[in-house]
């Protein structure tokens, strides 16, 4: 029970950190570090697949990118609570949304967000991900990107 309480504390703190970095710059502002190459996938909220990845990855604006990345980073920290509720379909949907966002993030964040995705999903079966600090290490670069590009 102590480990579960620690996990909830860590996820709550991570969620708070991610949400505090959620203020987006004006739509004309570009993220501070990004690559302008690559293609994006095509979920309903993203541009068409033929649209090249720009400063905002697969998102149309900085505000859209900041909001989606912040929401999904927070969601990653809350996956264990979703799993604990036993709603398998909802959990699978959240995992799919996290993976989808990992494909849409700007190139400068792709590797870090992919790592967060991997660690968050691993934490569903291995709670030591949280007690060992692996989750905190994985979310730190994403939170840093949010602080640098969305504050």
């Amino acid at each position: 029970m102590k480990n579960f309480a620690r996990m909830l504390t860590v996820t709550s703190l991570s969620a708070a950190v991610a949400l505090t970095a959620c203020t987006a710059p004006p739509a004309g502002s570009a993220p501070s570090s990004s690559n302008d190459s690559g293609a994006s996938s095509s979920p309903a909220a993203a541009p068409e697949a033929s649209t090249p990845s720009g400063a905002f990855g697969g998102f149309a604006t900085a505000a859209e990118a900041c909001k989606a990345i912040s929401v999904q980073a927070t969601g990653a920290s809350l996956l264990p609570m979703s799993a604990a509720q036993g709603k398998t379909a909802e959990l699978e949907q959240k995992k799919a949304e996290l993976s989808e966002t990992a494909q849409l993030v700007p190139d400068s964040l792709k590797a870090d967000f992919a790592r967060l995705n991997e660690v968050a999903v691993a934490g569903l079966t291995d709670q030591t991900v949280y007690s060992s600090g692996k989750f905190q290490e994985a979310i730190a670069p994403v939170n840093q990107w949010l602080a640098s590009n969305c504050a």
Side-chain angles (χ1 to χ4, degrees):
M1 189 65 176
K2 276 187 176 181
N3 284 337
F4 186 71
R6 282 186 204 148
M7 181 181 63
L8 288 177
T9 301
V10 168
T11 55
S12 296
L13 288 173
S14 296
V17 169
L19 288 175
T20 59
C22 195
T23 306
S29 300
S32 65
S33 62
S34 67
N35 240 335
D36 289 339
S37 62
S40 64
S41 61
S42 58
E48 295 179 20
S50 62
T51 304
S53 176
F56 316 118
F59 300 100
T61 66
E64 188 180 309
C66 289
K67 179 180 177 186
I69 293 165
S70 179
V71 165
Q72 290 303 314
T74 301
S77 68
L78 300 174
L79 280 179
M81 287 191 279
S82 296
Q85 293 175 348
K87 297 179 180 176
T88 306
E90 186 177 304
L91 178 62
E92 291 304 315
Q93 178 181 349
K94 289 179 182 190
K95 287 171 35 180
E97 290 170 358
L98 185 63
S99 292
E100 184 176 285
T101 301
Q103 298 301 312
L104 295 173
V105 299
D107 290 341
S108 63
L109 187 59
K110 278 202 186 288
D112 292 326
F113 204 91
R115 175 75 178 137
L116 172 61
N117 183 19
E118 175 186 310
V119 170
V121 171
L124 293 171
T125 56
D126 179 9
Q127 292 187 0
T128 64
V129 164
Y130 298 95
S131 61
S132 68
K134 288 179 185 176
F135 182 82
Q136 293 79 3
E137 289 172 15
I139 201 168
V142 175
N143 285 335
Q144 179 59 46
W145 186 93
L146 287 165
S148 296
N149 295 286
C150 302

